């Protein structure tokens, strides 16, 4: 079989849940505050994946306005019971402090493309829910981690099991804490399986940082007791700081038609000596084998960078330049997402082959900001656009941004001074948690006065840890540098809000607009181009 280099889903694609239906494989991943909710990729060979749908597309399914950064959709679980697809997910409204407000829902669909149902509410006792269809009894079982704000004795209190009745849409019968994990603690991300008369429970432990791990346990009875794997953690990089794939954990398993078992899991590829994961938590895959009714990762527990898969990856596709036009008949390209709101018409539209962003709240707002962006999937890249925007003062601004959250972004804007004179300005929020202040003052000496009429070409180049902005005025083909070289590694999990086990997304690049005067001034963008760049510093790029 061909060897494929991990990750199989590069860029922000964490918490993978994998499923096979016939010859088709599907992976669902978390999207957090990005809308629409949940990404589902499809593959025929485990090596080449195509984004096919984001099922949570309307207000009745998901409204994340007010959700803080790295809240929203956590750890979806995608299953099939022989009749239809089932998707379980958490909408997190609060994550910091002693309490977590975590509401769990189930939607279903006859086909992966939909139509997906309105959600059925299940519970709010914890997060990372999963639905297990018992092949022998026909019952459906709901598991999620339990949160205990008292820490009596554990904050991550264990894995709760309860039967779920699809006819009534309710949890029924007793609820039991069936597994509390190992001494690594922070048990979460449960998935149940059945094989050879055993019930298997796969969980994540150690938090989603550098101590992350996949733990495995089994029982003859679904209610337990569950015996922990003799190796405890079947996958982890925690004791191997030089492994290419770090932060390895939160996994799910799938069998191929010929009986091989694979584990998908999240992982990070840190850059610079500060070990920052700009691309966020990505989806990787490992070959596994069974011995004495226990699952083992081939060459584990450390994740392998190269894995034998049924298919060979199309490497050329990974390095292709993506040129996006904004044709209203085609709709917004599936690579793009926006933040939190189900009412997309309030923040953007496609007209006359342009993307029109309707200026709303400030960049970083947890309610309604006009920001449309795509994932950064390469350590080095170029991105550019052309903007047509006529601001009246400093409270109206729009442009090109490399964005993680309100606490870490770089933003080249077209704005105006208080006298109405247009200018280019760079806003930078560099690891500014918890205050969220800009690093550069509004009297930024790097600002450039530009004519009040005419389009402006904006570009950002990222080469490893170095980020540089560029611009060109309409009619002037030559790009000019603007501003200093910034530290591109700032746009990473490790520099977000609540950095320790608290930032869960990844870097995006895209277009944004704000109107703090409240007049909804529109900024128009002609196109967007994303070009991957091979660079000598990117030793772990695919």
């Amino acid at each position: 079989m061909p060897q494929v280099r991990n990750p199989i889903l590069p860029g922000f694609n964490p918490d993978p849940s994998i499923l096979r239906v016939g010859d088709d494989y599907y992976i669902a991943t978390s999207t957090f505050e990005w809308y629409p909710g949940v990404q589902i990729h499809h593959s025929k060979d485990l090596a080449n994946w195509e984004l096919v749908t984001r099922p949570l597309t309307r207000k009745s399914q998901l409204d994340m306005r007010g959700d803080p950064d790295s809240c929203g959709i956590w750890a979806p679980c995608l299953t099939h019971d022989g009749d239809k697809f089932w998707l379980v997910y958490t909408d997190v409204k609060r994550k910091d402090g002693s309490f977590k407000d975590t509401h769990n829902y189930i939607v279903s669909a006859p086909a992966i493309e939909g139509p997906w149902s309105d959600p059925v509410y299940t519970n709010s006792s914890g997060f990372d829910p999963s639905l297990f269809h018992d092949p022998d009894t026909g019952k459906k079982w709901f598991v999620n981690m339990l949160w205990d704000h008292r820490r009596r004795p554990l904050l991550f209190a264990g894995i709760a099991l309860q039967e779920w009745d699809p006819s009534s849409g309710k949890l029924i019968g007793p609820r039991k804490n069936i597994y509390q994990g190992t001494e690594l603690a922070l048990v979460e991300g449960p998935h149940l399986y059945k094989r050879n008369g055993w019930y298997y429970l796969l969980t994540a432990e150690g938090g989603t940082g550098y101590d992350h791990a996949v733990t495995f346990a089994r029982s003859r009875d679904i209610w337990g007791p569950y015996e922990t794997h003799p190796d405890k953690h079947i996958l982890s990089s925690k004791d191997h700081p030089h492994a290419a794939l770090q932060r390895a954990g939160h996994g799910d398993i799938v069998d191929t038609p010929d009986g091989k078992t694979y584990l998908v899991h999240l992982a990070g590829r840190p850059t610079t000596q500060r070990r920052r994961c700009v691309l966020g938590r990505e989806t990787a895959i490992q070959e596994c084998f069974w011995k004495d009714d226990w699952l083992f990762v081939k060459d584990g527990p450390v994740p392998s960078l190269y894995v034998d898969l049924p298919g060979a990856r199309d490497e050329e596709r990974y390095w292709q330049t993506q040129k996006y036009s904004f044709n209203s008949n085609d709709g917004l390209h599936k690579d793009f997402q926006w933040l939190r709101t189900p009412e997309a018409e309030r923040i953007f539209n496609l007209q006359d082959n342009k993307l029109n962003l309707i200026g709303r709240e400030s960049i970083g707002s947890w309610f309604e900001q006009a920001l449309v962006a795509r994932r950064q999937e390469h350590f080095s890249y170029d991105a550019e656009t052309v903007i047509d925007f006529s601001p009246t003062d400093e409270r109206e601004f729009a442009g090109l941004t490399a964005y993680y959250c309100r606490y870490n972004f770089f933003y080249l804007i077209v704005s105006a001074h208080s006298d109405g004179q247009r200018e280019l300005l760079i806003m930078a929020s560099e690891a500014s948690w918890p205050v969220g202040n800009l690093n550069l003052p509004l009297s930024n000496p790097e600002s450039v006065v530009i004519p009040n009429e005419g389009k402006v070409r904006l570009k950002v180049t990222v080469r490893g840890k170095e980020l540089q902005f560029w611009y060109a005025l309409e009619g002037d083909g030559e790009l000019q540098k603007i501003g200093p070289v910034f530290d591109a590694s700032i746009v990473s999990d490790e520099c977000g809000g609540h950095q320790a086990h608290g930032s869960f997304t990844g870097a995006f690049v895209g277009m944004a607009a704000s109107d703090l005067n409240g007049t909804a001034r529109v900024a128009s963008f002609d196109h967007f181009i994303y070009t991957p760049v091979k660079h000598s510093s990117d030793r772990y790029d695919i």
Side-chain angles (χ1 to χ4, degrees), residues 253-534:
I253 61 176
V254 69
D255 291 334
T256 64
D258 61 358
K260 287 186 177 293
T261 300
Y262 286 90
L263 169 75
V264 293
H265 63 94
L266 67 78
R269 292 179 289 167
T271 63
T272 78
Q273 292 183 341
R274 295 181 177 180
R275 305 187 83 198
R276 291 174 175 171
C277 295
V278 175
L279 303 187
R281 299 172 304 155
E282 308 170 279
T283 290
I285 192 168
Q286 305 297 325
E287 186 178 352
C288 300
F289 63 93
W290 293 90
K291 181 179 178 180
D292 299 327
D293 286 325
W294 283 114
L295 185 69
F296 294 85
V297 171
K298 182 181 177 181
D299 301 323
V302 181
S304 297
L305 184 61
Y306 290 92
V307 179
D308 293 327
L309 295 179
R313 193 207 309 271
D314 181 357
E315 299 289 350
E316 288 187 9
R317 182 180 170 198
Y318 177 71
W319 292 104
Q320 282 180 347
T321 294
Q322 299 295 322
K323 298 180 179 179
Y324 304 99
S325 59
F326 300 122
N327 187 314
S328 59
N329 294 327
D330 298 334
L332 187 68
H333 193 280
K334 63 184 178 181
D335 286 352
F336 290 103
Q337 287 183 274
W338 58 95
L339 287 162
R340 295 182 176 85
T341 179
E343 297 179 346
E345 68 279 4
R346 285 186 50 82
I347 61 171
F348 73 85
N349 60 62
L350 302 177
Q351 289 183 352
D352 301 323
N353 295 317
K354 299 181 187 301
L355 171 67
N356 299 313
L357 294 186
I358 305 165
R360 297 296 182 186
E361 295 175 342
S362 58
I363 187 168
S365 167
W366 290 346
F367 292 87
E368 192 174 52
Q369 61 164 310
L371 189 156
V372 172
R374 58 151 290 161
R375 282 159 177 73
Q376 178 183 340
E377 296 179 352
H378 307 77
F379 292 110
S380 298
Y381 71 90
D382 297 343
E384 65 175 273
T385 188
V386 172
I387 183 175
D388 188 359
F389 185 53
S390 301
T392 62
D393 64 19
E394 66 273 21
R395 280 166 290 277
E396 298 168 3
F397 46 89
L400 177 66
T401 182
Y403 183 88
Y404 185 96
C405 70
R406 70 160 53 174
Y407 303 110
N408 43 342
F409 62 82
F410 301 102
Y411 190 14
L412 173 58
I413 61 169
V414 176
S415 187
H417 193 48
S418 55
D419 60 4
Q421 176 62 54
R422 274 207 316 177
E423 63 179 2
L424 296 174
L425 188 70
I426 296 174
M427 294 182 176
S429 179
E430 302 180 67
S432 65
W433 180 82
V435 179
N437 285 337
L438 296 175
N439 295 73
L440 299 180
L442 295 182
S443 58
N444 177 12
E446 299 287 349
S447 63
V448 174
V449 174
I450 61 174
N452 278 358
E453 300 294 332
K455 297 179 181 180
V456 185
R457 180 183 173 195
L458 306 177
K459 183 172 184 176
V460 60
T461 58
V462 172
R463 300 293 182 271
K465 67 177 182 179
E466 297 184 349
L467 183 151
Q468 177 72 60
F469 282 115
W470 307 73
Y471 79 97
L473 300 179
E474 188 172 26
D476 184 355
E478 186 173 350
L479 286 162
Q480 301 181 59
K481 289 182 180 179
I482 180 171
V485 174
F486 291 100
D487 181 358
S489 72
I490 290 291
V491 190
S492 64
D493 291 350
E494 289 76 12
C495 297
H498 195 293
Q499 292 90 354
H501 305 292
S503 295
F504 304 137
T505 58
F508 280 69
V509 60
M511 301 148 285
S514 294
D515 184 347
L516 308 187
N517 289 317
T519 62
R521 186 166 294 275
V522 172
S524 296
F525 297 84
D526 286 359
H527 59 257
F528 189 84
I529 303 173
Y530 176 90
T531 304
V533 174
K534 295 182 180 180

Side-chain angles (χ1 to χ4, degrees), residues 205-283:
E205 288 192 285
T208 196
Y210 288 89
D211 291 328
H212 211 22
V214 173
T215 305
F216 209 57
R218 72 183 183 186
S219 173
R220 288 294 188 185
D221 190 319
I222 197 168
W223 292 105
Y226 281 83
E227 170 193 6
T228 300
H229 194 284
D231 292 342
K232 294 184 180 178
H233 316 300
I234 63 172
L235 182 84
S236 183
S237 306
K238 63 185 180 65
D239 300 319
H240 299 269
H242 299 297
L245 302 178
Q246 291 292 313
R247 305 171 66 187
H250 200 120
D252 194 8
I253 61 176
V254 69
D255 291 334
T256 64
D258 61 358
K260 287 186 177 293
T261 300
Y262 286 90
L263 169 75
V264 293
H265 63 94
L266 67 78
R269 292 179 289 167
T271 63
T272 78
Q273 292 183 341
R274 295 181 177 180
R275 305 187 83 198
R276 291 174 175 171
C277 295
V278 175
L279 303 187
R281 299 172 304 155
E282 308 170 279
T283 290

Side-chain angles (χ1 to χ4, degrees), residues 8-9 16-18 25-29 39-41 49 78 264 283:
I8 54 172
L9 296 181
S17 169
I18 192 167
Y25 297 93
Y26 302 97
I27 289 180
T29 53
Q39 294 212 129
I40 298 179
H41 286 80
W49 294 86
L78 180 66
V264 293
T283 290

